[in-house]
Amino acid sequence: MANERLLIPQDADYFHALGLAAVAFARLEWDAVWCCERLQKGYISTIEPKKKTAGFIARDLEALFGRISDQSFRLKVEPFAQEFIAIVQDRNALFHGKPGTTKESEQRLFRSGTPWSIQDVNDFADRCTRAGTPLNALLYNELKEGCVVPLV
């Protein structure tokens, strides 16, 4: 049989929100990966062989940002890594959520017995986008290609 996915009860607005959230998180995650690459040449080549998940990437970003020798720059970027770590936890709660049906018969993903509403998912996507903006800016400024950032 083809199109088995269509057997899943569908809510176009909810699925749209989930899709946008997935892309927003992926963009954030790859901004973090590229920041790691700019601080440690060859970092990207470690992702697949070491099966690095978002949690590992977040910890690597935190560790690399923590090794920046310029204290003012380090203090500027460390909160970006902390926010990414926090978002990874929410990402796990969303994308590893338990599927279920609400009292209103809506198909939703649940976290600790509470459904992720469309607004919750949209808020998560917005948070990912806000967190990615400064990381992306670093890639075109302080961490632009060819940069040398001394680490301790």
Short mmCIF file of all heavy atoms in Angstrom, two decimals, residues 21-36 43 47 52-65 76-93 95 124 127-136 138:
data_model
loop_
_atom_site.label_atom_id
_atom_site.label_comp_id
_atom_site.label_asym_id
_atom_site.label_seq_id
_atom_site.Cartn_x
_atom_site.Cartn_y
_atom_site.Cartn_z
N ALA A 21 8.95 24.36 13.15
CA ALA A 21 9.78 24.21 14.35
C ALA A 21 10.99 23.31 14.07
O ALA A 21 12.11 23.60 14.54
CB ALA A 21 8.96 23.65 15.50
N ALA A 22 10.78 22.25 13.31
CA ALA A 22 11.89 21.34 12.97
C ALA A 22 12.95 22.08 12.16
O ALA A 22 14.16 21.95 12.43
CB ALA A 22 11.38 20.13 12.21
N VAL A 23 12.52 22.86 11.21
CA VAL A 23 13.46 23.62 10.38
C VAL A 23 14.14 24.71 11.21
O VAL A 23 15.36 24.92 11.10
CB VAL A 23 12.76 24.21 9.13
CG1 VAL A 23 13.68 25.16 8.39
CG2 VAL A 23 12.29 23.08 8.22
N ALA A 24 13.40 25.40 12.05
CA ALA A 24 13.99 26.45 12.90
C ALA A 24 15.07 25.85 13.81
O ALA A 24 16.14 26.44 13.98
CB ALA A 24 12.91 27.14 13.73
N PHE A 25 14.79 24.68 14.37
CA PHE A 25 15.79 24.04 15.24
C PHE A 25 17.00 23.60 14.41
O PHE A 25 18.14 23.79 14.85
CB PHE A 25 15.22 22.85 16.01
CG PHE A 25 16.27 22.25 16.89
CD1 PHE A 25 16.56 22.81 18.12
CD2 PHE A 25 17.02 21.16 16.46
CE1 PHE A 25 17.57 22.29 18.92
CE2 PHE A 25 18.03 20.63 17.25
CZ PHE A 25 18.30 21.19 18.48
N ALA A 26 16.77 23.01 13.25
CA ALA A 26 17.88 22.55 12.42
C ALA A 26 18.80 23.72 12.04
O ALA A 26 20.03 23.59 12.05
CB ALA A 26 17.36 21.85 11.17
N ARG A 27 18.21 24.86 11.71
CA ARG A 27 19.01 26.03 11.37
C ARG A 27 19.84 26.48 12.58
O ARG A 27 21.03 26.79 12.45
CB ARG A 27 18.12 27.17 10.88
CG ARG A 27 17.49 26.88 9.51
CD ARG A 27 16.45 27.93 9.15
NE ARG A 27 17.01 29.26 9.15
CZ ARG A 27 17.38 29.93 8.05
NH1 ARG A 27 17.21 29.38 6.88
NH2 ARG A 27 17.88 31.14 8.15
N LEU A 28 19.23 26.51 13.75
CA LEU A 28 19.95 26.87 14.98
C LEU A 28 21.09 25.89 15.22
O LEU A 28 22.23 26.28 15.50
CB LEU A 28 18.99 26.88 16.17
CG LEU A 28 19.62 26.90 17.57
CD1 LEU A 28 20.46 28.15 17.77
CD2 LEU A 28 18.52 26.79 18.62
N GLU A 29 20.78 24.60 15.12
CA GLU A 29 21.80 23.58 15.37
C GLU A 29 22.98 23.73 14.42
O GLU A 29 24.14 23.64 14.84
CB GLU A 29 21.17 22.19 15.23
CG GLU A 29 22.12 21.05 15.52
CD GLU A 29 21.43 19.71 15.45
OE1 GLU A 29 20.46 19.54 14.66
OE2 GLU A 29 21.86 18.81 16.19
N TRP A 30 22.72 24.00 13.16
CA TRP A 30 23.81 24.13 12.21
C TRP A 30 24.55 25.46 12.34
O TRP A 30 25.74 25.54 12.04
CB TRP A 30 23.34 23.82 10.79
CG TRP A 30 23.37 22.33 10.65
CD1 TRP A 30 22.34 21.46 10.89
CD2 TRP A 30 24.51 21.53 10.36
NE1 TRP A 30 22.78 20.17 10.74
CE2 TRP A 30 24.11 20.18 10.41
CE3 TRP A 30 25.83 21.82 10.04
CZ2 TRP A 30 24.99 19.13 10.17
CZ3 TRP A 30 26.71 20.77 9.80
CH2 TRP A 30 26.28 19.45 9.86
N ASP A 31 23.90 26.48 12.85
CA ASP A 31 24.65 27.69 13.22
C ASP A 31 25.65 27.34 14.32
O ASP A 31 26.80 27.78 14.29
CB ASP A 31 23.71 28.81 13.68
CG ASP A 31 23.07 29.57 12.53
OD1 ASP A 31 23.63 29.59 11.42
OD2 ASP A 31 21.99 30.16 12.77
N ALA A 32 25.21 26.54 15.28
CA ALA A 32 26.10 26.11 16.36
C ALA A 32 27.24 25.26 15.81
O ALA A 32 28.41 25.44 16.19
CB ALA A 32 25.31 25.34 17.42
N VAL A 33 26.93 24.33 14.93
CA VAL A 33 27.97 23.48 14.33
C VAL A 33 29.00 24.33 13.61
O VAL A 33 30.21 24.13 13.77
CB VAL A 33 27.34 22.45 13.36
CG1 VAL A 33 28.40 21.78 12.49
CG2 VAL A 33 26.54 21.40 14.13
N TRP A 34 28.53 25.30 12.84
CA TRP A 34 29.47 26.14 12.09
C TRP A 34 30.31 27.02 13.02
O TRP A 34 31.48 27.28 12.74
CB TRP A 34 28.74 26.97 11.04
CG TRP A 34 28.56 26.17 9.79
CD1 TRP A 34 27.43 25.58 9.34
CD2 TRP A 34 29.59 25.84 8.85
NE1 TRP A 34 27.67 24.90 8.17
CE2 TRP A 34 29.00 25.05 7.84
CE3 TRP A 34 30.95 26.13 8.75
CZ2 TRP A 34 29.72 24.54 6.76
CZ3 TRP A 34 31.66 25.64 7.66
CH2 TRP A 34 31.04 24.85 6.69
N CYS A 35 29.73 27.46 14.13
CA CYS A 35 30.54 28.20 15.12
C CYS A 35 31.64 27.29 15.65
O CYS A 35 32.80 27.71 15.78
CB CYS A 35 29.67 28.73 16.26
SG CYS A 35 28.66 30.17 15.82
N CYS A 36 31.30 26.05 15.94
CA CYS A 36 32.30 25.09 16.41
C CYS A 36 33.38 24.88 15.34
O CYS A 36 34.58 24.83 15.65
CB CYS A 36 31.66 23.76 16.76
SG CYS A 36 30.62 23.79 18.24
N TYR A 43 35.85 20.32 12.81
CA TYR A 43 34.77 19.90 13.73
C TYR A 43 33.63 19.22 12.97
O TYR A 43 33.13 18.19 13.41
CB TYR A 43 34.23 21.09 14.53
CG TYR A 43 33.11 20.69 15.46
CD1 TYR A 43 33.40 20.17 16.71
CD2 TYR A 43 31.78 20.80 15.08
CE1 TYR A 43 32.38 19.76 17.56
CE2 TYR A 43 30.76 20.40 15.92
CZ TYR A 43 31.06 19.87 17.16
OH TYR A 43 30.05 19.46 17.98
N ILE A 47 30.96 15.07 13.20
CA ILE A 47 29.53 14.93 13.49
C ILE A 47 29.04 13.51 13.22
O ILE A 47 28.51 12.84 14.11
CB ILE A 47 28.68 15.95 12.70
CG1 ILE A 47 29.10 17.37 13.01
CG2 ILE A 47 27.19 15.73 12.94
CD1 ILE A 47 28.74 17.89 14.36
N LYS A 52 27.20 12.54 16.72
CA LYS A 52 26.92 13.64 17.65
C LYS A 52 25.47 14.10 17.50
O LYS A 52 25.04 14.49 16.43
CB LYS A 52 27.87 14.80 17.42
CG LYS A 52 29.29 14.49 17.85
CD LYS A 52 30.17 15.69 17.77
CE LYS A 52 31.56 15.34 18.30
NZ LYS A 52 32.45 16.51 18.26
N THR A 53 24.77 14.06 18.60
CA THR A 53 23.40 14.57 18.65
C THR A 53 23.45 16.05 19.03
O THR A 53 24.51 16.59 19.35
CB THR A 53 22.58 13.80 19.70
OG1 THR A 53 23.18 14.04 20.99
CG2 THR A 53 22.54 12.31 19.40
N ALA A 54 22.29 16.68 19.03
CA ALA A 54 22.22 18.10 19.38
C ALA A 54 22.79 18.36 20.77
O ALA A 54 23.44 19.38 21.00
CB ALA A 54 20.78 18.59 19.29
N GLY A 55 22.55 17.45 21.69
CA GLY A 55 23.08 17.62 23.04
C GLY A 55 24.60 17.65 23.08
O GLY A 55 25.20 18.47 23.78
N PHE A 56 25.23 16.77 22.30
CA PHE A 56 26.70 16.76 22.23
C PHE A 56 27.20 18.04 21.57
O PHE A 56 28.18 18.63 22.02
CB PHE A 56 27.20 15.55 21.45
CG PHE A 56 27.11 14.26 22.20
CD1 PHE A 56 26.20 13.30 21.83
CD2 PHE A 56 27.94 14.01 23.29
CE1 PHE A 56 26.10 12.11 22.53
CE2 PHE A 56 27.86 12.81 23.99
CZ PHE A 56 26.93 11.86 23.62
N ILE A 57 26.52 18.46 20.51
CA ILE A 57 26.92 19.68 19.81
C ILE A 57 26.79 20.88 20.75
O ILE A 57 27.68 21.74 20.80
CB ILE A 57 26.08 19.88 18.54
CG1 ILE A 57 26.42 18.76 17.53
CG2 ILE A 57 26.30 21.26 17.94
CD1 ILE A 57 25.42 18.61 16.40
N ALA A 58 25.72 20.93 21.53
CA ALA A 58 25.53 22.04 22.48
C ALA A 58 26.65 22.07 23.51
O ALA A 58 27.19 23.15 23.82
CB ALA A 58 24.17 21.91 23.16
N ARG A 59 27.03 20.92 24.02
CA ARG A 59 28.12 20.87 25.00
C ARG A 59 29.46 21.25 24.36
O ARG A 59 30.29 21.92 24.98
CB ARG A 59 28.19 19.50 25.66
CG ARG A 59 27.04 19.28 26.65
CD ARG A 59 27.22 18.03 27.50
NE ARG A 59 27.12 16.80 26.75
CZ ARG A 59 25.98 16.19 26.40
NH1 ARG A 59 24.83 16.72 26.75
NH2 ARG A 59 26.00 15.07 25.73
N ASP A 60 29.67 20.82 23.11
CA ASP A 60 30.89 21.20 22.40
C ASP A 60 30.94 22.71 22.19
O ASP A 60 32.00 23.33 22.37
CB ASP A 60 30.98 20.50 21.05
CG ASP A 60 31.25 19.00 21.15
OD1 ASP A 60 31.61 18.52 22.25
OD2 ASP A 60 31.08 18.32 20.12
N LEU A 61 29.81 23.31 21.81
CA LEU A 61 29.75 24.76 21.62
C LEU A 61 30.09 25.47 22.93
O LEU A 61 30.89 26.41 22.95
CB LEU A 61 28.38 25.19 21.12
CG LEU A 61 28.20 26.67 20.83
CD1 LEU A 61 29.05 27.10 19.63
CD2 LEU A 61 26.74 27.00 20.59
N GLU A 62 29.49 25.01 24.02
CA GLU A 62 29.76 25.60 25.32
C GLU A 62 31.24 25.49 25.67
O GLU A 62 31.86 26.46 26.13
CB GLU A 62 28.91 24.92 26.39
CG GLU A 62 29.16 25.45 27.79
CD GLU A 62 28.37 24.69 28.84
OE1 GLU A 62 28.29 23.44 28.77
OE2 GLU A 62 27.83 25.35 29.73
N ALA A 63 31.82 24.33 25.44
CA ALA A 63 33.24 24.12 25.77
C ALA A 63 34.14 25.01 24.90
O ALA A 63 35.09 25.63 25.42
CB ALA A 63 33.61 22.65 25.59
N LEU A 64 33.86 25.09 23.62
CA LEU A 64 34.69 25.92 22.74
C LEU A 64 34.53 27.40 23.06
O LEU A 64 35.52 28.14 23.12
CB LEU A 64 34.36 25.64 21.28
CG LEU A 64 34.91 24.31 20.75
CD1 LEU A 64 34.28 23.95 19.41
CD2 LEU A 64 36.43 24.38 20.64
N PHE A 65 33.30 27.85 23.29
CA PHE A 65 33.11 29.25 23.67
C PHE A 65 33.82 29.54 24.99
O PHE A 65 34.37 30.62 25.18
CB PHE A 65 31.62 29.58 23.78
CG PHE A 65 30.93 29.89 22.48
CD1 PHE A 65 31.59 29.85 21.26
CD2 PHE A 65 29.59 30.22 22.48
CE1 PHE A 65 30.94 30.13 20.07
CE2 PHE A 65 28.92 30.52 21.30
CZ PHE A 65 29.60 30.48 20.09
N LYS A 76 30.58 37.57 25.91
CA LYS A 76 29.51 37.89 24.97
C LYS A 76 28.85 36.61 24.44
O LYS A 76 27.62 36.55 24.33
CB LYS A 76 30.07 38.70 23.79
CG LYS A 76 29.10 38.91 22.65
CD LYS A 76 29.75 39.60 21.47
CE LYS A 76 28.82 39.65 20.27
NZ LYS A 76 29.43 40.33 19.12
N VAL A 77 29.64 35.59 24.12
CA VAL A 77 29.10 34.42 23.42
C VAL A 77 28.65 33.28 24.34
O VAL A 77 27.83 32.46 23.94
CB VAL A 77 30.10 33.88 22.37
CG1 VAL A 77 30.39 34.95 21.33
CG2 VAL A 77 31.39 33.37 23.00
N GLU A 78 29.18 33.21 25.54
CA GLU A 78 28.80 32.10 26.44
C GLU A 78 27.28 31.99 26.65
O GLU A 78 26.75 30.87 26.65
CB GLU A 78 29.55 32.19 27.77
CG GLU A 78 30.99 31.76 27.64
CD GLU A 78 31.78 31.88 28.94
OE1 GLU A 78 31.51 32.82 29.73
OE2 GLU A 78 32.66 31.04 29.16
N PRO A 79 26.55 33.11 26.80
CA PRO A 79 25.09 32.97 26.94
C PRO A 79 24.41 32.34 25.72
O PRO A 79 23.38 31.69 25.85
CB PRO A 79 24.61 34.41 27.16
CG PRO A 79 25.79 35.14 27.67
CD PRO A 79 26.97 34.49 27.01
N PHE A 80 25.01 32.51 24.54
CA PHE A 80 24.43 31.90 23.34
C PHE A 80 24.48 30.38 23.45
O PHE A 80 23.53 29.68 23.07
CB PHE A 80 25.17 32.34 22.07
CG PHE A 80 25.26 33.83 21.87
CD1 PHE A 80 26.28 34.36 21.10
CD2 PHE A 80 24.34 34.71 22.42
CE1 PHE A 80 26.38 35.72 20.87
CE2 PHE A 80 24.43 36.09 22.21
CZ PHE A 80 25.46 36.59 21.44
N ALA A 81 25.58 29.86 23.97
CA ALA A 81 25.71 28.41 24.15
C ALA A 81 24.74 27.92 25.22
O ALA A 81 24.12 26.86 25.07
CB ALA A 81 27.15 28.05 24.52
N GLN A 82 24.59 28.68 26.30
CA GLN A 82 23.67 28.29 27.37
C GLN A 82 22.23 28.23 26.85
O GLN A 82 21.48 27.31 27.19
CB GLN A 82 23.76 29.28 28.54
CG GLN A 82 25.08 29.21 29.28
CD GLN A 82 25.33 27.84 29.87
OE1 GLN A 82 24.45 27.23 30.46
NE2 GLN A 82 26.54 27.34 29.70
N GLU A 83 21.86 29.17 26.02
CA GLU A 83 20.51 29.17 25.45
C GLU A 83 20.32 27.97 24.53
O GLU A 83 19.27 27.32 24.55
CB GLU A 83 20.22 30.48 24.72
CG GLU A 83 18.86 30.54 24.06
CD GLU A 83 17.66 30.50 25.01
OE1 GLU A 83 17.84 30.44 26.25
OE2 GLU A 83 16.53 30.53 24.50
N PHE A 84 21.32 27.64 23.75
CA PHE A 84 21.23 26.48 22.87
C PHE A 84 21.05 25.20 23.70
O PHE A 84 20.22 24.35 23.37
CB PHE A 84 22.45 26.40 21.95
CG PHE A 84 22.40 25.24 20.99
CD1 PHE A 84 21.28 24.98 20.21
CD2 PHE A 84 23.49 24.41 20.84
CE1 PHE A 84 21.22 23.92 19.32
CE2 PHE A 84 23.46 23.35 19.94
CZ PHE A 84 22.33 23.10 19.18
N ILE A 85 21.80 25.07 24.78
CA ILE A 85 21.66 23.91 25.66
C ILE A 85 20.23 23.80 26.17
O ILE A 85 19.63 22.71 26.17
CB ILE A 85 22.67 23.99 26.83
CG1 ILE A 85 24.09 23.73 26.31
CG2 ILE A 85 22.31 23.00 27.95
CD1 ILE A 85 25.18 24.05 27.31
N ALA A 86 19.65 24.91 26.61
CA ALA A 86 18.27 24.90 27.12
C ALA A 86 17.28 24.54 26.02
O ALA A 86 16.33 23.78 26.25
CB ALA A 86 17.94 26.27 27.72
N ILE A 87 17.50 25.06 24.84
CA ILE A 87 16.59 24.77 23.72
C ILE A 87 16.66 23.30 23.34
O ILE A 87 15.64 22.70 22.98
CB ILE A 87 16.89 25.70 22.52
CG1 ILE A 87 16.43 27.12 22.86
CG2 ILE A 87 16.23 25.20 21.25
CD1 ILE A 87 16.82 28.16 21.83
N VAL A 88 17.84 22.71 23.41
CA VAL A 88 17.96 21.28 23.10
C VAL A 88 17.05 20.46 24.01
O VAL A 88 16.41 19.50 23.55
CB VAL A 88 19.43 20.81 23.20
CG1 VAL A 88 19.52 19.29 23.19
CG2 VAL A 88 20.26 21.40 22.07
N GLN A 89 16.95 20.84 25.27
CA GLN A 89 16.06 20.12 26.18
C GLN A 89 14.61 20.21 25.73
O GLN A 89 13.87 19.22 25.74
CB GLN A 89 16.22 20.65 27.61
CG GLN A 89 17.60 20.46 28.19
CD GLN A 89 18.07 19.01 28.15
OE1 GLN A 89 17.36 18.11 28.57
NE2 GLN A 89 19.24 18.79 27.61
N ASP A 90 14.18 21.40 25.33
CA ASP A 90 12.81 21.58 24.83
C ASP A 90 12.61 20.86 23.50
O ASP A 90 11.56 20.29 23.24
CB ASP A 90 12.47 23.06 24.68
CG ASP A 90 12.17 23.71 26.01
OD1 ASP A 90 11.88 23.00 26.99
OD2 ASP A 90 12.22 24.96 26.08
N ARG A 91 13.63 20.89 22.67
CA ARG A 91 13.55 20.17 21.40
C ARG A 91 13.33 18.69 21.65
O ARG A 91 12.50 18.05 21.00
CB ARG A 91 14.83 20.40 20.60
CG ARG A 91 14.92 19.60 19.33
CD ARG A 91 15.85 18.46 19.58
NE ARG A 91 16.13 17.75 18.35
CZ ARG A 91 16.54 16.51 18.34
NH1 ARG A 91 16.70 15.84 19.45
NH2 ARG A 91 16.79 15.90 17.22
N ASN A 92 14.06 18.14 22.60
CA ASN A 92 13.89 16.72 22.92
C ASN A 92 12.48 16.45 23.43
O ASN A 92 11.87 15.44 23.07
CB ASN A 92 14.94 16.27 23.94
CG ASN A 92 16.33 16.24 23.35
OD1 ASN A 92 16.51 16.27 22.12
ND2 ASN A 92 17.32 16.22 24.21
N ALA A 93 11.97 17.34 24.25
CA ALA A 93 10.61 17.17 24.79
C ALA A 93 9.57 17.23 23.67
O ALA A 93 8.56 16.52 23.71
CB ALA A 93 10.32 18.23 25.84
N PHE A 95 10.20 16.85 20.03
CA PHE A 95 10.37 15.87 18.95
C PHE A 95 10.50 14.44 19.44
O PHE A 95 10.44 13.51 18.63
CB PHE A 95 11.52 16.28 18.04
CG PHE A 95 11.20 17.53 17.28
CD1 PHE A 95 11.94 18.68 17.47
CD2 PHE A 95 10.13 17.58 16.41
CE1 PHE A 95 11.63 19.85 16.79
CE2 PHE A 95 9.79 18.73 15.73
CZ PHE A 95 10.55 19.87 15.91
N PHE A 124 8.25 27.80 20.50
CA PHE A 124 9.52 27.07 20.43
C PHE A 124 10.28 27.47 19.15
O PHE A 124 11.47 27.75 19.20
CB PHE A 124 9.28 25.57 20.47
CG PHE A 124 10.51 24.77 20.19
CD1 PHE A 124 11.49 24.60 21.15
CD2 PHE A 124 10.71 24.21 18.93
CE1 PHE A 124 12.64 23.88 20.87
CE2 PHE A 124 11.85 23.49 18.64
CZ PHE A 124 12.83 23.32 19.61
N ARG A 127 11.71 30.85 19.51
CA ARG A 127 12.87 30.82 20.41
C ARG A 127 14.10 30.31 19.66
O ARG A 127 15.20 30.84 19.83
CB ARG A 127 12.55 29.93 21.62
CG ARG A 127 13.63 29.94 22.67
CD ARG A 127 13.19 29.18 23.89
NE ARG A 127 14.26 29.13 24.87
CZ ARG A 127 14.38 28.20 25.78
NH1 ARG A 127 13.46 27.23 25.87
NH2 ARG A 127 15.38 28.20 26.62
N CYS A 128 13.92 29.28 18.83
CA CYS A 128 15.04 28.77 18.04
C CYS A 128 15.58 29.85 17.11
O CYS A 128 16.80 30.02 16.97
CB CYS A 128 14.60 27.56 17.21
SG CYS A 128 14.26 26.07 18.17
N THR A 129 14.68 30.57 16.48
CA THR A 129 15.08 31.61 15.54
C THR A 129 15.81 32.74 16.27
O THR A 129 16.85 33.22 15.80
CB THR A 129 13.86 32.14 14.78
OG1 THR A 129 13.22 31.03 14.12
CG2 THR A 129 14.25 33.17 13.75
N ARG A 130 15.28 33.14 17.43
CA ARG A 130 15.96 34.19 18.21
C ARG A 130 17.35 33.73 18.64
O ARG A 130 18.30 34.51 18.61
CB ARG A 130 15.14 34.56 19.45
CG ARG A 130 13.98 35.48 19.18
CD ARG A 130 13.37 36.03 20.46
NE ARG A 130 12.97 35.01 21.41
CZ ARG A 130 11.78 34.39 21.41
NH1 ARG A 130 10.87 34.71 20.51
NH2 ARG A 130 11.51 33.49 22.33
N ALA A 131 17.48 32.47 19.04
CA ALA A 131 18.77 31.95 19.50
C ALA A 131 19.76 31.79 18.35
O ALA A 131 20.97 31.93 18.54
CB ALA A 131 18.58 30.62 20.21
N GLY A 132 19.25 31.51 17.17
CA GLY A 132 20.13 31.34 16.02
C GLY A 132 20.66 32.65 15.46
O GLY A 132 21.75 32.68 14.87
N THR A 133 19.91 33.71 15.64
CA THR A 133 20.30 35.00 15.06
C THR A 133 21.69 35.45 15.51
O THR A 133 22.53 35.79 14.66
CB THR A 133 19.23 36.06 15.35
OG1 THR A 133 18.00 35.63 14.74
CG2 THR A 133 19.62 37.42 14.81
N PRO A 134 22.02 35.45 16.81
CA PRO A 134 23.36 35.90 17.19
C PRO A 134 24.45 34.92 16.77
O PRO A 134 25.57 35.35 16.45
CB PRO A 134 23.29 36.06 18.71
CG PRO A 134 22.14 35.24 19.14
CD PRO A 134 21.18 35.23 18.00
N LEU A 135 24.15 33.63 16.74
CA LEU A 135 25.15 32.66 16.28
C LEU A 135 25.45 32.89 14.81
O LEU A 135 26.61 32.88 14.38
CB LEU A 135 24.68 31.23 16.51
CG LEU A 135 24.57 30.75 17.95
CD1 LEU A 135 24.04 29.33 18.01
CD2 LEU A 135 25.90 30.86 18.67
N ASN A 136 24.41 33.11 14.03
CA ASN A 136 24.58 33.37 12.60
C ASN A 136 25.36 34.67 12.39
O ASN A 136 26.24 34.74 11.52
CB ASN A 136 23.23 33.41 11.90
CG ASN A 136 23.38 33.45 10.41
OD1 ASN A 136 23.43 34.53 9.83
ND2 ASN A 136 23.48 32.28 9.79
N LEU A 138 27.61 35.87 14.35
CA LEU A 138 29.01 35.57 14.64
C LEU A 138 29.72 35.02 13.41
O LEU A 138 30.88 35.33 13.15
CB LEU A 138 29.13 34.55 15.78
CG LEU A 138 28.80 35.00 17.18
CD1 LEU A 138 28.80 33.81 18.13
CD2 LEU A 138 29.76 36.08 17.65
#
